[in-house]
């Protein structure tokens, strides 16, 4: 067994939601036993049987939790982003919101309830929340907003939850919560919202809730939820209101040896179907010519930062035929995980990312790796080596890809590694 040093005590089994510091009770409707059992049964039905999947139970629980998290995001975007008290700036100047912290707290609580012995590696911690200025009444408005959002979506709704429970749940995934040694380990990797700038943009841009299970250095299962994924085209839609519509939103799951699958997000939590044909198998595209491929790059990078720019000019006009010196560059507004989702679903052939620093964050890639691989694709650094999730021996928070990350449909991978290696300085 790997050595794990957990610095946070487990939350109490019974929880009380109070307003800090007045400890004001917030009441919530109880979920009847029959409804909870029906939900558990529905989520026990994945598109493959338990005997084929060693981590069937973990994946089923993860899918249920991520879908709840997606609905939290939808509700937060609709009702809470009304003022600057709902948004913070982290030290790296990326925006963080009620939804980021709420998703991390919610998934931490859900996963700890089902699998208390599996630790969590995640992006956020509560330090900035605890130091947030109180209002005139002495209340931490941001913490109250996060607690309310979590309480509305947590599956054990008949239990009671304190603000301290929510902050402790966030910190369960923080950088000081767990320390690994060099031995193999089992743990969750969570990006609560990948593409937060898109989430805040108010234009229904794509963002992803991403959760992966890592065992012995390999990603064995994962879930991505994308509330604004348009099921008829890749373009984000601009309509009044930020809530997902029935034709929008996707839940993608993957398990080693069982493939990658997707279905629409449920319109509301608790509205489930047990028909297995609601899941659809995801496969990468079959493009085998580089100039015919559809490429994605990070929103913060330009094509001339990619070594392939020496060989190919980009175009964003899909209607015109391309010659052998031109590639199609897709515009997908979001963080890295949505690009993985785009390749896994066959809407793009390639995602190329240049590593500007020595390290990248594991949560920006872990779940994308399993989803693309099980859809038939391939992932490596720019030298062709697989991403090493265990390279950060104690924290499992960083990866160190040489040059950058290359995600492809598999058919193009060898060719692109050769081209990138030959032109990367």
């Amino acid at each position: 067994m790997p050595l794990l040093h957990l610095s946070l005590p487990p939350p109490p089994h019974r929880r009380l939601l109070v307003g800090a510091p007045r400890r004001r009770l917030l009441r919530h409707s109880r979920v009847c036993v029959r409804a909870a059992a029906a939900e558990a049964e529905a989520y026990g039905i994945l598109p493959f049987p338990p005997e084929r999947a060693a981590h069937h139970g973990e994946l089923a629980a993860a899918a249920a939790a991520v879908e709840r998290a997606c609905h939290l995001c939808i509700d937060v975007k609709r009702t809470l982003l009304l003022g600057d008290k709902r948004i913070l700036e982290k030290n790296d100047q990326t925006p963080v919101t009620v939804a980021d912290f709420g998703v991390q707290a919610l998934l931490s609580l859900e996963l700890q309830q089902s699998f208390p012995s599996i630790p969590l590696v995640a992006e956020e911690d509560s330090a900035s929340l605890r130091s947030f200025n109180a209002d005139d009444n002495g209340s931490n408005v941001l913490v109250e907003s996060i607690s309310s959002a979590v309480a509305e979506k947590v599956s054990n709704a008949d239990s009671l939850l304190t603000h301290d429970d929510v902050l402790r749940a966030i910190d369960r995934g923080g950088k000081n919560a767990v320390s690994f040694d060099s031995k193999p380990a089992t743990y969750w990797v969570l990006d609560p919202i990948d593409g937060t700038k898109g989430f805040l943009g108010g234009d229904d841009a794509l963002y992803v809730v991403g959760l992966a299970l890592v065992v012995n250095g390999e990603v064995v299962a994962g879930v991505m939820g994308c509330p604004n994924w348009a099921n008829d085209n890749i373009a984000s839609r601009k309509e009044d209101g930020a809530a997902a519509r029935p034709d929008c939103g996707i839940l993608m799951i993957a398990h080693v040896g069982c493939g990658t699958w997707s279905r629409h997000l449920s319109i509301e939590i608790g509205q489930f179907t047990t028909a297995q044909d609601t899941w659809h198998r995801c496969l990468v595209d079959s493009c085998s010519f580089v100039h015919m491929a559809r490429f994605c790059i990070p929103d913060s990078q330009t094509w001339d930062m990619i070594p392939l720019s020496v060989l190919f000019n980009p175009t964003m006009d899909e209607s015109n035929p391309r010659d052998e010196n031109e590639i199609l560059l897709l515009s997908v507004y979001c963080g890295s995980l949505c690009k993985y989702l785009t390749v896994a679903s066959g809407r793009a052939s390639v995602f190329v990312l240049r590593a500007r620093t020595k390290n990248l964050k594991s949560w920006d890639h872990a779940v994308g790796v399993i989803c693309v691989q099980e859809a038939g694709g391939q992932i490596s650094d720019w030298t062709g080596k697989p991403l090493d999730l265990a390279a950060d021996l104690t924290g499992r928070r960083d990866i160190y890809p040489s040059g950058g990350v290359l995600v492809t449909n598999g058919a193009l991978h060898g060719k692109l590694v050769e081209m990138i290696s030959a032109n990367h300085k």
Side-chain angles (χ1 to χ4, degrees):
M1 291 290 292
L3 295 177
L4 298 176
H5 308 288
L6 300 177
S7 62
L8 298 173
H13 294 292
R14 300 290 298 177
R15 301 186 291 273
L16 175 68
L17 180 62
V18 298
R22 295 165 296 173
R23 304 190 67 80
R24 173 174 50 85
L25 285 178
L26 299 179
R27 300 184 180 276
H28 304 279
S29 60
R30 293 175 177 268
V31 176
C32 70
V33 174
R34 182 178 302 175
E39 177 176 341
E41 180 182 0
Y43 270 114
I45 298 180
L46 297 179
F48 38 82
E51 56 268 24
R52 284 187 52 201
H55 305 283
H56 193 278
E58 291 93 330
L59 182 57
V66 169
E67 182 150 33
R68 286 182 175 276
C70 287
H71 282 280
L72 183 151
C73 292
I74 293 167
D75 288 350
V76 166
K77 190 163 184 178
R78 181 192 297 123
T79 62
L80 291 183
L81 295 180
L82 301 176
D84 58 4
K85 289 186 178 182
R86 312 302 184 185
I87 302 172
L88 296 178
E89 288 287 337
K90 294 188 292 186
N91 291 335
D92 61 0
Q93 302 302 305
T94 58
V96 105
T97 68
V98 173
D100 293 86
F101 290 113
V103 166
Q104 184 156 320
L106 175 62
L107 286 171
S108 175
L109 291 167
E110 296 289 306
L111 295 173
Q112 188 173 40
Q113 179 176 313
S114 300
F115 302 97
S117 65
I118 302 179
L120 176 67
V121 174
E123 183 174 9
E124 310 298 350
D125 62 54
S126 72
S128 57
L129 292 176
R130 293 177 188 273
S131 62
F132 190 68
N133 294 330
D135 63 13
D136 294 338
N137 297 319
S139 297
N140 189 319
V141 177
L142 189 57
V143 173
E144 289 190 353
S145 297
I146 294 166
S147 297
S148 296
V150 172
E152 290 174 358
K153 295 297 183 289
V154 69
S155 61
N156 194 14
D158 58 344
S159 292
L160 300 168
L161 195 67
T162 69
H163 291 344
D164 284 342
D165 293 332
V166 171
L167 294 172
R168 185 165 44 241
I170 293 169
D171 285 335
R172 181 172 171 257
K175 61 182 179 181
N176 297 319
V178 58
S179 178
F180 300 87
D181 62 14
S182 59
K183 296 179 181 179
T186 296
Y187 56 95
W188 300 103
V189 179
L190 169 67
D191 194 336
I193 296 183
D194 187 63
T196 308
K197 290 182 179 179
F199 177 84
L200 290 174
D203 58 359
D204 287 344
L206 302 179
Y207 61 93
V208 169
V209 178
L211 178 65
L213 180 65
V214 180
V215 177
N216 298 337
E218 300 293 331
V219 188
V220 298
V223 185
M224 286 195 280
C226 185
N228 290 328
W229 182 267
N231 290 301
D232 56 352
N233 60 70
I234 200 169
S236 58
R237 300 181 179 189
K238 299 181 180 180
E239 293 185 2
D240 293 337
R245 300 178 309 282
D247 63 337
C248 276
I250 189 176
L251 194 72
M252 177 177 283
I253 65 169
H255 187 290
V256 62
C258 297
T260 300
W261 302 77
S262 69
R263 65 166 173 81
H264 293 184
L265 286 177
S266 61
I267 299 175
E268 295 181 8
I269 294 176
Q271 293 187 0
F272 306 109
T273 175
T274 59
Q276 292 190 1
D277 62 3
T278 59
W279 289 100
H280 302 279
R281 186 71 181 264
C282 297
L283 297 172
V284 296
D285 74 11
S286 59
C287 181
S288 57
F289 297 98
V290 174
H291 74 282
M292 295 301 295
R294 293 164 290 174
F295 283 74
C296 297
I297 61 173
D299 313 299
S300 60
Q301 299 182 11
T302 56
W303 181 248
D304 59 8
M305 298 172 64
I306 307 299
L308 297 171
S309 62
V310 176
L311 305 173
F312 301 97
N313 295 317
T315 179
M316 301 184 74
D317 187 353
E318 193 166 3
S319 62
N320 291 333
R322 300 187 294 281
D323 60 34
E324 294 186 358
N325 298 315
E326 197 171 39
I327 59 95
L328 178 66
L329 191 60
L330 299 178
S331 175
V332 184
Y333 189 89
C334 168
S336 296
L337 288 183
C338 189
K339 273 81 166 185
Y340 279 97
L341 194 155
T342 305
V343 174
S345 64
R347 293 186 176 183
S349 314
V350 182
F351 168 39
V352 190
L353 176 151
R354 185 186 190 106
R356 295 185 177 183
T357 59
K358 179 180 178 182
N359 64 302
L360 299 175
K361 293 304 180 183
S362 62
W363 47 76
D364 288 330
H365 302 275
V367 67
V369 168
I370 185 71
C371 287
V372 169
Q373 286 179 342
E374 287 297 314
Q378 192 171 348
I379 302 96
S380 73
D381 66 15
W382 282 8
T383 69
K385 295 180 180 179
L387 304 186
D388 185 1
L389 292 173
D392 176 5
L393 296 180
T394 59
R396 302 295 200 274
R397 304 176 72 80
D398 295 311
I399 59 175
Y400 306 92
S402 177
V405 176
L406 176 64
V407 181
T408 76
N409 62 1
L412 296 169
H413 204 85
K415 299 176 185 177
L416 290 175
V417 168
E418 290 180 6
M419 290 178 178
I420 289 173
S421 298
N423 292 283
H424 177 45
K425 299 178 181 179

